[in-house]
Amino acid sequence: MIDFVVTLVAAFLWLVSTSAWAKALTDIKVATGQGIVKELEPCNQEVVCYFGSVTSMGSLNVSVIFGFLNMILWGGNAWFVYKETSLHSPSNTSASHSQGGIPPPSGI
């Protein structure tokens, strides 16, 4: 049961941390986009500023994708750990029959 709880906590933490990283990456993209030229004070006066480009953020996008894939992996792992717990498979009732319970029906 402890393994199941630890696995659920790990899956949840992967979800939260990957979502936070995805949001931060979106904020970084917005903050370093073309709109930054309009916000620079020297560019609004006498100097003419041009937006060249931003460094490629493809590897950062891949890190977010791998984060969500890892969360899915932990979620799948939690399913298999759940199947090993007593929550999934109830206790065996055939033991009570051999200890004086109601006998199983016999054939005709």
Side-chain angles (χ1 to χ4, degrees):
M1 191 60 141
I2 293 172
D3 288 340
F4 179 57
V5 171
V6 169
T7 304
L8 282 180
V9 168
F12 178 73
L13 289 177
W14 271 107
L15 173 66
V16 170
S17 62
T18 303
S19 299
W21 171 234
K23 173 67 172 124
L25 181 59
T26 302
D27 291 345
I28 289 170
K29 288 179 180 180
V30 168
T32 58
Q34 271 185 320
I36 195 169
V37 175
K38 298 173 189 170
E39 295 175 8
L40 296 174
E41 202 169 308
C43 295
N44 291 331
Q45 296 170 0
E46 299 173 5
V47 179
V48 177
C49 299
Y50 296 102
F51 181 78
S53 67
V54 176
T55 305
S56 174
M57 295 189 188
S59 61
L60 298 177
N61 292 333
V62 170
S63 71
V64 170
I65 291 169
F66 275 120
F68 281 115
L69 288 176
N70 199 6
M71 188 270 309
I72 292 169
L73 184 72
W74 275 96
N77 189 22
W79 168 250
F80 288 110
V81 173
Y82 165 74
K83 290 184 73 146
E84 296 294 323
T85 63
S86 61
L87 298 174
H88 178 68
S89 54
S91 63
N92 193 357
T93 58
S94 65
S96 66
H97 296 303
S98 64
Q99 297 173 354
I102 301 172
S106 58
I108 297 178

